[in-house]
Amino acid sequence: MTRHVAVIDIGKTNAKLALVDLATSSEVALRRMANAPVADGRYPHHDVELLWSFILDSLAGINREQRIDAISITTHGATGVLVDAAGELALPVLDYEFAGPDTLAKDYDAIRPPFAETGTPRLPVGLNLGAQFFWQQKRFPADFAETAAILMYPQYWALRLTGVAANEVTSLGCHTDLWNPWKADFSSLVDKMEWRRLMAPVRPAKDRLGPILPALAKLTGLDPQTPVLCGLHDSNASLLPHLLSDRPPFSVVSTGTWVVSMAIGGNKIALDPARDTLVNVNALGDPVPSARFMGGREFSLLTEGQSEDWTDEDIATVLARKTSLLPSTQQSSGPFPHHTAAWLNADGINTGQRFATVSFYLALMTAACLDLIGAEGPAIVEGPFARNRLFTPMLAAATARAVIASDAATGTSIGAALLASDQGKIQGKGERVEPPADPAWANYARVWRAAVDAQG
C-alpha cells in the first residue's frame, strides 16, 4: 500500500519537498529552499542543477526518517524544457519573466492561435510558453535543432528521475498556446512550427512512468522500485482533491507567487482574455475557466521589511476610514492590467493598518477574479493566503459566500500526492469562514470596487 508520498514542488519563488501521509491527508516532513533564476549566460534561466541537488538531498534526508513509497511532482507553469537525444539540455530553461520573447512579438502574433482555439490570452514576456519556444528557435537555431524532445517542467524532473520522457495536459493547457482544450490535442501552432514530432508523449498525471533510476536509488537510499508519477501543474494540484471529493459549484483559489482562481460548476460566462482570464485544463483533461494575478509577488513587495502584526483596533480603523490600495502593483497581468496602483485615505497609518489594507487588497483582487469566471458556491483557498486571517473574511465579505481556508502548509502537495493514492480521494480539511456579520466589511468591498471602476 502506498502511504508516504514525496512531493517535489518547484514554485517560482520557493522549491519544496514535502512528505505527505495519505492516511491522514497531512504533510509530515518538509524541506524548502529559495528559488531564483540565474541572470548570467545567454538569458535568465532556472538553475536546474542547484534544484536537482536540493531534490536529491531532500529525498535522501527524508527517506532516512521515514520510508518514501512514491514520488510525485508539481511545478509552476509557463516553463518548458528542450532536451537533446542524451536527455541533456539543448538550451537553458528560460525564465518566463525574461522579456526576450517580446522582441519577436509581432512575428509570433502573426502565427499564434486565437483565444477561441486555445483559451490562452496573449500575455507579456515569456508567459505564453509558445512564445518562449518561438524565440529560442529563432534566436538559437543551431541549439534548437539539437532538441530531441520538448517537455513540460514537471515531466523534465520525471525524466531525470526515471529516464522516461512524457508530457501532461495540465501544464500543456496552462496559457501556453500549445494545447486545444476543446479537442484535447496540440494546437495549430505546434503543427505550424513542426514541433509535434518533438513533443514527448502525453500521459495522464497519475501514470507511474517507472521506478527511480538505479543510480539514484543507490544515491538517495530509496527502494529501487520506488515509483515516480508523471506529475502536474501546481494550481491543478491544488484543485484535484476538491475536484474528486467536493460537490459543485465551488471554486479553488491556489495561492503562491500567482493567485489562480478556478471555477467548477459555476455560471457560464464569456471569458475576457484582456483581463487575464483563461481556460486551464484539469488533471482529468477537462477545461476549467480560470483567472489570475501575481498576488504572492505583490504581497512580498508590499510587506517586505514590514510587521505583519495587527490588532482589532487596526481593523476597525481601516474599515471606518476606508483606507485602501487600488490595483495594480504588478501591472500587465491580472483583472486590472493597466490600472496604476494608488493608496487612498492612507495618511498616518501604522504598520498593522498597512498590513490589513494589503490583505484586503489581495482579497478584493481575488474576488474580482472569481467574478470574471462566474464562480459560485464556496471558495476553497489553498496555500499561504489560507493562513491570513484578514484575507479570508474579506474574500467572504466581497463574494457574499463562504470561504474554506485549507490547513495544508503547502496547498499543492496534497493534490500532487493524491496521484499516488490507492483510494483515489483525499478528504480536504480546513476552516469555514462565513461572511462577517458586521456590514462594514461588505461596505468596504463595495467602496473599493467603486473606486477601481472610477479609475477607468
Side-chain angles (χ1 to χ4, degrees):
M1 176 180 174
T2 300
R3 176 166 178 174
H4 292 106
V5 182
V7 177
I8 299 165
D9 180 358
I10 309 297
K12 191 62 166 63
T13 306
N14 293 288
K16 299 172 281 289
L17 199 144
L19 186 68
V20 174
D21 185 340
L22 292 176
T24 61
S25 303
S26 63
E27 298 153 1
V28 295
L30 181 66
R31 305 282 196 278
R32 71 170 65 228
M33 64 168 276
N35 186 25
V38 178
D40 60 5
R42 299 179 177 189
Y43 47 77
H45 59 276
H46 296 289
D47 192 343
V48 295
E49 294 310 317
L50 180 62
L51 288 167
W52 183 236
S53 295
F54 164 76
I55 289 168
L56 295 181
D57 289 347
S58 298
L59 287 172
I62 288 178
N63 189 62
R64 284 193 293 268
E65 302 167 6
Q66 175 65 62
R67 173 188 164 89
I68 293 173
D69 298 318
I71 300 171
S72 188
I73 308 162
T74 183
T75 77
H76 59 79
T79 304
V81 185
L82 310 171
V83 298
D84 62 20
E88 302 294 329
L89 296 183
L91 281 165
V93 182
L94 190 146
D95 171 29
Y96 65 64
E97 295 185 78
F98 172 54
D102 281 342
T103 63
L104 298 179
K106 184 177 180 180
D107 293 337
Y108 181 68
D109 288 344
I111 64 164
R112 69 179 292 268
F115 184 79
E117 179 185 337
T118 63
T120 295
R122 182 64 170 110
L123 300 172
V125 293
L127 286 167
N128 294 129
L129 186 52
Q132 292 186 36
F133 292 155
F134 182 84
W135 180 85
Q136 288 174 307
Q137 185 171 20
K138 298 297 183 182
R139 181 68 179 80
F140 305 103
D143 299 276
F144 193 95
E146 294 299 314
T147 300
I150 295 176
L151 309 173
M152 298 300 99
Y153 205 29
Q155 288 70 53
Y156 167 68
W157 298 111
L159 173 69
R160 293 195 69 159
L161 288 165
T162 67
V164 177
N167 271 314
E168 188 274 333
V169 295
T170 61
S171 293
L172 284 168
C174 179
H175 53 81
T176 64
D177 283 331
L178 303 174
W179 191 253
N180 184 325
W182 322 115
K183 294 184 177 180
D185 192 12
F186 292 108
S187 73
S188 58
L189 173 67
V190 173
D191 291 320
K192 285 179 183 177
M193 296 302 298
E194 299 184 350
W195 293 337
R196 185 180 286 263
R197 62 183 176 81
L198 301 176
M199 291 291 179
V202 178
R203 302 274 295 270
K206 66 180 181 180
D207 267 16
R208 300 189 173 204
L209 297 186
I212 192 170
L213 290 167
L216 299 180
K218 183 176 181 180
L219 183 64
T220 60
L222 271 68
D223 186 315
Q225 295 306 308
T226 304
V228 178
L229 286 302
C230 185
L232 75 174
H233 172 239
D234 54 9
S235 297
N236 273 285
S238 296
L239 174 63
L240 184 57
H242 310 289
L243 192 66
L244 297 178
S245 300
D246 297 354
R247 179 178 296 178
F250 64 87
S251 59
V252 171
V253 179
S254 174
T255 68
T257 302
W258 290 91
V259 174
V260 181
S261 298
M262 297 164 281
I264 303 298
N267 294 323
K268 300 297 183 184
I269 192 168
L271 299 181
D272 183 354
R275 300 186 68 183
D276 220 345
T277 64
L278 62 150
V279 177
N280 271 306
V281 179
N282 67 32
L284 305 181
D286 299 323
V288 178
S290 307
R292 54 185 214 137
F293 72 107
M294 216 168 188
R297 176 67 55 77
E298 291 186 318
F299 178 83
S300 296
L301 293 172
L302 291 165
T303 62
E304 185 176 13
Q306 300 281 330
S307 171
E308 297 185 11
D309 294 330
W310 51 273
T311 66
D312 289 342
E313 184 179 352
D314 290 330
I315 305 309
T317 299
V318 169
L319 292 173
R321 291 184 58 187
K322 304 295 188 295
T323 300
S324 58
L325 173 61
L326 304 183
S328 297
T329 59
Q330 287 285 297
Q331 294 185 303
S332 301
S333 63
F336 309 104
H338 306 300
H339 286 209
T340 301
W343 288 85
L344 300 181
N345 306 316
D347 291 343
I349 61 172
N350 63 29
T351 56
Q353 292 158 12
R354 178 186 170 88
F355 181 78
T357 303
V358 169
S359 298
F360 290 168
Y361 161 78
L362 296 167
L364 293 164
M365 288 285 282
T366 303
C369 288
L370 292 170
D371 285 344
L372 287 171
I373 58 176
E376 288 291 332
I380 302 154
V381 180
E382 297 277 4
F385 285 11
R387 300 186 293 279
N388 185 325
R389 293 186 297 117
L390 299 177
F391 175 90
T392 51
M394 182 53 77
L395 181 59
T399 59
R401 299 190 300 273
V403 170
I404 310 297
S406 171
D407 59 9
T410 310
T412 55
S413 64
I414 302 297
L418 179 60
L419 298 177
S421 173
D422 299 323
Q423 291 78 28
K425 293 185 180 182
I426 291 178
Q427 186 61 45
K429 296 182 292 184
E431 176 189 2
R432 186 179 180 93
V433 180
E434 298 290 348
D438 183 350
W441 290 73
N443 186 49
Y444 181 100
R446 286 191 293 270
V447 170
W448 183 88
R449 186 54 190 261
V452 172
D453 291 343
Q455 280 184 311

